[in-house]
Amino acid sequence: MLITIADVLNANEVAAARAALDAAEWVDGKVTAGYQAQGVKENLQLPEGHPTAVKLGEMVLAALARSKVFMSAALPLRVFPPMFNRYTGGGHFGTHVDTAIRAMASTGQRIRTDVSATLFLSKPEEYDGGELIVEDTYGVHQVKLPAGHMVLYPATSLHRVNPVTRGARVASFFWVQSMIRSDGDRTLLYDLDTAIQRLAVDSPGNPVGVQLTGVYHNLLRRWAEM
C-alpha cells in the first residue's frame, strides 16, 4: 500500500526544520548505505545522533503521534529515529530495496523495516527532479509532494530518487516496524478502519459500525505481533 498523508508538519514546523537543516553540516549519505546501495547513492545526510537530527526527529515523532492516518496505515510498533537527507547538484539514489533490519545508533535496538517513509521538507517548485519512484505489483508510482506532506510505502518495494538538477530536495526519512508484518494485511485493516470512520460520520449510531469495529479488533488481535 502506498499512501500520502497531508500536513504531517505545519508551515511553522517546516520553516523551523529548514532553518535548522540549512545551517547544519552534512556528510556523505553513503555512511548509512548498505553494500549494494553504496554504488547508487549520491546524496548528503545528517549523521545519526547529530543534535539537529535528534531535535528535529523528536518534532517529527510528535507529529506522527498526532496523525490518525499514520497510526491507521502503519500500525506502528517501533519507529526508527527520523533521519534527514539532501539532494542537490545531480544527487540521486538509484534503484534499491531498503535494508530489512536496522539498528538504532543510540540504543543498538534492532527494528524490522516493514514500512518506509519520506517526509518532504522542500517545496516542489524549489527543485527540479528528485521524484521518489516506487515500483510495486500495480506499476510504477512517482511521488513529489508539498513540504510537510509524507508518503508511506512498503519497505520491500524497489524504489529510487531521480537526480536533482536544480535547487535542493530536503527530506526526512525513516522506517516503521509495524504490528502487522504483511503489507496485504495492513491494507485490509486500513481499508476497514477507513470504512468504519466513514460510517460513523454518515450514519451515526448505526449498529453495523459496532459489528465492523469488532471485526477490526479481532483481526488485529489475530495478526498483531508485539
Side-chain angles (χ1 to χ4, degrees), residues 5-17:
I5 306 176
D7 299 320
V8 173
L9 295 182
N10 61 40
N12 290 335
E13 290 170 325
V14 170

Side-chain angles (χ1 to χ4, degrees), residues 159-173:
H159 57 282
R160 66 182 185 273
V161 176
N162 283 343
V164 173
T165 58
R166 178 188 66 85
R169 175 195 191 270
V170 181
S172 176
F173 66 101

Side-chain angles (χ1 to χ4, degrees), residues 31-45:
V31 297
T32 57
Y35 174 75
Q36 290 184 329
Q38 287 185 2
V40 296
K41 187 177 185 181
E42 296 289 343
N43 69 0
L44 299 173
Q45 278 181 207

Side-chain angles (χ1 to χ4, degrees), residues 1-2 95-101 112-117 133-137 152-160 175-176 180-184 186:
M1 175 176 60
L2 186 152
T95 302
H96 64 285
V97 174
D98 288 336
T99 302
I101 305 295
R112 186 184 66 238
T113 57
D114 298 320
V115 181
S116 296
I133 308 297
V134 181
E135 302 178 28
D136 63 18
T137 55
L152 301 177
Y153 57 97
T156 53
S157 304
L158 286 171
H159 57 282
R160 66 182 185 273
W175 300 273
V176 179
I180 307 299
R181 182 192 295 253
S182 164
D183 178 61
R186 283 196 307 275

Side-chain angles (χ1 to χ4, degrees), residues 5 11 31 33 62 79 83 88 119 183:
I5 306 176
V31 297
V79 179
M83 302 174 68
T88 190
L119 173 60
D183 178 61

